[in-house]
Amino acid sequence: LGGRMEGFIRLLFGYLVADLLTLVCRAQEKAGQQLGSFVVLSGGNHSSLAEQLDPSEPPPTPDFCRGYFDVMGQWDPPFNCSSGEFIFCCGTCGFRFCCKFKKTRLDQSTCTNYETPLWMNTGKPPSRIDDPLHDPTRDKTNLIVYIICGVVAVMVLVGIFTKLGLEKAHRPQREHMS
């Protein structure tokens, strides 16, 4: 069991080192730097943005994705698409992200979700006591309920004490023997 576990740990460590070297090579490939005595070339199976553009055209400027309300009513703040090859604002009006192809760019002028959605406007919140629009004379319902409950409670107490008093009055008198 110990030999298998040691072999597994070595395999896992080798995988992590290989993955780390792959990430370093990709980062240097994008930067066009040398790795030791080897020159890392870009291209290969990856299509880059420079290969798709006409050399006579100036390079495109990064897009700015405007802030918007998504389908859940949450405000998503604006952001710049300036991360490497991902310079175009793509997606839908309710979900935006940066992409690298101009043909999939989102026309943000057609979107209408820049204002608070109508279904989120649930009405005016209740007025506060210190609000100048609050009218205390209009709020009489609680006072009426308190008065009625108080009268009923007093009547119940009067009835209970009356019954106790009558029972005590009609009880036969006991003689006190010493």
Side-chain angles (χ1 to χ4, degrees), residues 92-132:
T92 64
C93 291
F95 177 68
R96 299 178 192 183
F97 54 90
C98 298
C99 66
K100 59 177 159 177
F101 302 113
K102 187 175 183 175
K103 63 183 176 185
T104 58
R105 175 190 265 173
L106 172 66
D107 183 10
Q108 298 181 64
S109 63
T110 61
C111 298
T112 59
N113 56 342
Y114 300 113
E115 303 289 327
T116 305
L118 292 176
W119 56 267
M120 282 187 65
N121 295 331
T122 57
K124 183 182 174 205
S127 61
R128 295 178 34 185
I129 299 300
D130 59 347
D131 188 1

Side-chain angles (χ1 to χ4, degrees), residues 1-17:
L1 183 68
R4 286 186 175 171
M5 185 61 122
E6 186 178 326
F8 175 74
I9 291 175
R10 283 186 180 174
L11 181 66
L12 182 63
F13 182 73
Y15 173 76
L16 291 175
V17 169

Side-chain angles (χ1 to χ4, degrees), residues 143-153:
L143 182 62
I144 294 170
V145 170
Y146 291 143
I147 291 172
I148 292 173
C149 289
V151 169
V152 169

